[in-house]
Amino acid sequence: MAYEIGTATDYKDLIAKLKTFVTTNAALVAAGQQWTVMRHTAPASGDHELILRGPGLAGVDQIYVGIKTEDAPAISGYNWKLQGFTAFANVTFDAQPGAMGGTNQPRLLLVNSPMNYWFVASGRRIIVVARAGTTYQIAYLGLIMPYGPPKNLPYPLFIGGCCYDALVWTDSSAAHSPFYYPRHPSSGKPTVSQGYFLGTQWYPVLFKASSTVYTDLCILPYATRPAAYLSCSLTQMRPNRDGTYPLLPMLLCSQGSSRNIYGEFEGLFALPGFGLVGEDTVTSDGVPHTVFNGGSLAAPDNFVAIRME
């Protein structure tokens, strides 16, 4: 629906620029899809906080998402912590109605210095990409496009980032990976994730490439063996014979015996990354899509394309 490309002076200025974009962008305002600021705190010292309410495409929805800065000075970490809510109340950030519990919410690992950014938004969701050092930090905040009637998924809220802990952008561990390819250093079942979907509760997205079946969520076509039955790895794909790239919908699926497909991400597409680097542009149906690899990952099956309109 609308996008902006620019440069922020640091991770706190990035919040201010996002606030201005989603509330005043001409295309969003003309469509009645601008977001409303529920709370914005920006003290001279201390954490900054932004809670937004999205109107949906027809102006009748109430979609609540939040961002809070997080300093980890001992490791020179300057991050965003991401949240989703079911309403807004005059309480603290993590105590908002419907907020994710615990301390391992999705994060973006940013820097306290200038960085380029890409914002894309509609009334339903916000996509943020920021270049921190040599990495691209990617966030999705808002609703997916559900497959099914609204009564089945009345509030398909997804919150995703590129880490689940207060680390630094130079980290190369499994924790520093994007929500669509969420890795974890544990050999057992992970208890945290870089991405969460709000159903009857917050459910983590888990990437599993073995025969072990988890009754959680995965994102196709990145998950190599969802439910241990289907192999659809992007490492097996190449560009089209005419040099263009296939753009595949990113599907949020349940693993285990149910194997449901809940819907797809708005404006995000999977593609084979052979021959691509971050910030390349591919075109589909005359619309440009900017390509990024998330977090510390840069293999051909770690890329995503974002529709720039």
Side-chain angles (χ1 to χ4, degrees), residues 127-259:
I127 298 171
V128 175
V129 181
R131 181 165 184 172
T134 58
T135 70
Y136 296 99
Q137 302 292 315
I138 305 172
Y140 188 101
L141 304 123
L143 304 186
I144 66 168
M145 296 187 294
Y147 289 175
K151 67 178 182 180
N152 291 347
L153 280 176
Y155 192 54
L157 182 65
F158 188 91
I159 304 296
C162 277
C163 195
Y164 53 74
D165 206 350
L167 301 175
V168 65
W169 70 266
T170 54
D171 181 85
S172 59
S173 71
H176 187 196
S177 53
F179 65 87
Y180 55 86
Y181 201 102
R183 302 185 302 159
H184 193 277
S186 172
S187 59
K189 179 179 177 179
T191 58
V192 295
S193 176
Q194 293 85 348
Y196 288 83
F197 178 65
L198 182 59
T200 55
Q201 63 185 52
W202 285 102
Y203 293 96
V205 175
L206 303 180
F207 181 90
K208 190 62 180 176
S210 74
S211 60
T212 302
V213 177
Y214 295 153
T215 56
D216 294 284
L217 301 177
C218 66
I219 296 176
L220 294 178
Y222 296 98
T224 306
R225 292 174 63 87
Y229 292 112
L230 179 63
S231 179
C232 55
S233 174
L234 287 168
T235 60
Q236 307 302 315
M237 299 181 65
R238 297 294 186 274
N240 299 320
R241 295 185 66 181
D242 62 0
T244 61
Y245 282 81
L247 299 185
L248 309 175
M250 290 171 50
L251 305 179
L252 183 65
C253 308
S254 62
Q255 305 185 83
S257 59
S258 60
R259 295 193 294 278

Side-chain angles (χ1 to χ4, degrees), residues 81-154:
K81 184 166 70 171
L82 311 176
Q83 268 281 14
F85 316 113
T86 55
F88 175 78
N90 188 27
V91 294
T92 60
F93 184 76
D94 288 321
Q96 290 294 319
M100 282 176 268
T103 60
N104 294 108
Q105 292 90 2
R107 287 164 166 82
L108 297 187
L109 307 184
L110 303 171
V111 293
N112 193 27
S113 57
M115 60 188 132
N116 295 336
Y117 67 80
W118 296 256
F119 297 153
V120 184
S122 70
R124 290 173 54 85
R125 61 88 177 100
I126 299 167
I127 298 171
V128 175
V129 181
R131 181 165 184 172
T134 58
T135 70
Y136 296 99
Q137 302 292 315
I138 305 172
Y140 188 101
L141 304 123
L143 304 186
I144 66 168
M145 296 187 294
Y147 289 175
K151 67 178 182 180
N152 291 347
L153 280 176

